[in-house]
Amino acid sequence: NTRGGSSTDDAATTTMSKETGLPPAAKLLIGAGGIYGAFLYYGSLQEDVFRYTAADGTQFKQAWFLQVLEALANVLVGFVGMQLTGATKNIPQMAFAISGASQVSAKACTSLALANGLSFPIATLAKSGKMAPVMFGSLILGGATYTLREYLQVALIIGGTAVVSMGKKKGGGSASSLIGVAYIILSLVLDGVTAGFQKRLKAETAKAGVKPKPYDFMFWTNLYMCLTAMVISGGLGEVGTGLAYCAGNPEILEKIIKFAICSAVGQSFIFYTIANFDPLILSTVTTTRKIFSVLLSIFLKGHTLSLTGWTGIAMACSGILSEMHAKMSGKAKAH
């Protein structure tokens, strides 16, 4: 997930009491403004970290080590928030552990895709096609049926992303990009797995008669994300090499620290938005943020796109926006 923190879009739905005081428009401005500010910068920093080249020509490849630091920042903010709002007792740890492990694996795969040469705009667009693995799984296992519009939306996002990757003017690096594509597909599959685990987590907490607050979700999910990433990065020997690389290149260390802080700050704004608005509002904010992240990256980071590339961007964005519109009109019909 190129979005920061843990994807608890609906996991912590309205468990925080609806605050009074500020008018809804002001609250939306705070929530959406915070999410945009934190995560647009987050995306930009993530791209910088993996595009950074040291004086000796080496690059930062320690994706799991990066996840340790990002999750750690979220754990600290979650812990403080949990102390301020009051911690919930008897939380089903196993469900949180599984959800955290699959989430951090999805995020690490996104970072690994970037580390293996996949460009940030392509990775971000591809990650917007979250419906694809869900659909694929449902079609193979049976169960869900989809409308023509839903198939078209997914086709536009995937097709658009493929067209962008073909329409990039810079050649070379195709082998490493192929590994990058494999990682982003794996990340999408893990997103689907995570969604399933989060549903189970909601069921487990309900069964235990426990109502975790937003910061409980943030603390426990990220604690298990951090532990999973520590074990894997330790096993891969990334902790030592990652620390050594950061020590030798203070510039990148500064970017990584800012990246982790943006993740935790953005996550807090996500919880603020969940507490005050419908999850659909949050999904709209985070979806449009991804489109802006792609455009910002193209304009600010020197990605040259041909007309084909821009056609792909338009295709993918129209698929993303159509999906968002369908959700909103579906919500309107439900009321």
Side-chain angles (χ1 to χ4, degrees), residues 129-139 144 146 188 191-193 195 199:
K130 281 197 171 112
M131 269 301 287
V134 178
M135 265 187 184
F136 190 64
S138 301
L139 289 173
Y146 297 97
L188 273 171
D191 277 337
V193 171
K199 273 189 187 145

Side-chain angles (χ1 to χ4, degrees), residues 161-231:
T161 306
V163 170
V164 175
S165 52
M166 290 187 295
K168 275 185 72 71
K169 280 183 182 165
K170 275 182 262 179
S174 56
S176 63
S177 293
L178 273 177
I179 301 168
V181 169
Y183 273 123
I184 212 77
I185 291 169
L186 184 55
S187 181
L188 273 171
V189 170
L190 285 164
D191 277 337
V193 171
T194 300
F197 283 139
Q198 283 184 338
K199 273 189 187 145
R200 193 184 297 176
L201 174 62
K202 281 176 98 168
E204 292 275 330
T205 49
K207 198 167 77 183
V210 180
K211 268 200 159 179
K213 297 189 188 87
Y215 282 110
D216 292 315
F217 275 100
M218 186 170 179
F219 175 77
W220 291 110
T221 305
N222 281 284
L223 179 66
Y224 288 113
M225 286 172 80
C226 191
L227 292 171
T228 306
M230 272 179 178
V231 170

Side-chain angles (χ1 to χ4, degrees), residues 3-325:
R3 192 177 90 211
S6 50
S7 50
T8 34
D9 286 16
D10 35 45
T13 315
T14 54
T15 38
M16 220 189 252
S17 58
K18 296 244 188 280
E19 291 157 51
T20 48
L22 288 170
K27 286 182 183 174
L28 185 59
L29 201 62
I30 293 168
I35 291 169
Y36 270 126
F39 286 127
L40 284 173
Y41 194 32
Y42 170 93
S44 174
L45 287 161
Q46 187 178 25
E47 182 170 13
D48 289 346
V49 165
F50 289 107
R51 288 182 77 182
Y52 179 85
T53 308
D56 62 357
T58 54
Q59 288 186 301
F60 184 84
K61 300 278 187 193
Q62 291 82 353
W64 284 100
F65 174 64
L66 182 69
Q67 291 313 135
V68 172
L69 301 177
E70 184 188 344
L72 196 57
N74 279 278
V75 166
L76 295 173
V77 173
F79 182 75
V80 173
M82 202 164 67
Q83 298 313 306
L84 294 174
T85 57
T88 308
K89 292 191 170 52
N90 305 322
I91 279 179
Q93 297 296 327
M94 195 62 195
F96 269 102
I98 296 169
S99 169
S102 74
Q103 249 177 76
V104 77
S105 302
K107 287 170 72 65
C109 285
T110 301
S111 289
L112 283 163
L114 295 172
N116 282 284
L118 195 68
S119 80
F120 181 83
I122 292 168
T124 309
L125 285 175
K127 284 285 283 183
S128 301
K130 281 197 171 112
M131 269 301 287
V134 178
M135 265 187 184
F136 190 64
S138 301
L139 289 173
I140 287 179
L141 304 168
T145 49
Y146 297 97
T147 62
L148 178 64
R149 176 176 175 162
E150 285 169 320
Y151 283 121
L152 282 173
Q153 282 160 193
V154 171
L156 276 171
I157 297 171
I158 295 171
T161 306
V163 170
V164 175
S165 52
M166 290 187 295
K168 275 185 72 71
K169 280 183 182 165
K170 275 182 262 179
S174 56
S176 63
S177 293
L178 273 177
I179 301 168
V181 169
Y183 273 123
I184 212 77
I185 291 169
L186 184 55
S187 181
L188 273 171
V189 170
L190 285 164
D191 277 337
V193 171
T194 300
F197 283 139
Q198 283 184 338
K199 273 189 187 145
R200 193 184 297 176
L201 174 62
K202 281 176 98 168
E204 292 275 330
T205 49
K207 198 167 77 183
V210 180
K211 268 200 159 179
K213 297 189 188 87
Y215 282 110
D216 292 315
F217 275 100
M218 186 170 179
F219 175 77
W220 291 110
T221 305
N222 281 284
L223 179 66
Y224 288 113
M225 286 172 80
C226 191
L227 292 171
T228 306
M230 272 179 178
V231 170
I232 296 173
S233 61
L236 294 171
E238 283 189 3
V239 179
T241 55
L243 286 169
Y245 193 88
C246 290
N249 301 283
E251 278 172 72
I252 201 167
L253 179 62
E254 188 188 321
K255 288 183 193 299
I256 288 172
I257 291 167
K258 284 183 187 168
F259 169 78
I261 292 168
C262 280
S263 171
V265 170
Q267 200 58 26
S268 294
F269 278 112
I270 280 178
F271 286 133
Y272 176 84
T273 310
I274 287 172
N276 289 291
F277 298 99
D278 192 271
L280 192 70
I281 299 273
L282 174 70
S283 142
T284 306
V285 172
T286 53
T287 302
T288 48
R289 192 279 303 171
K290 279 187 181 161
I291 294 174
F292 284 121
S293 267
V294 168
L295 296 175
L296 264 180
S297 172
I298 290 167
F299 290 120
L300 299 180
K301 311 276 178 182
H303 295 280
T304 45
L305 281 183
S306 60
L307 183 62
T308 314
W310 280 111
T311 309
I313 296 272
M315 279 169 69
C317 289
S318 60
I320 295 165
L321 293 171
S322 168
E323 199 175 290
M324 194 173 82
H325 176 262

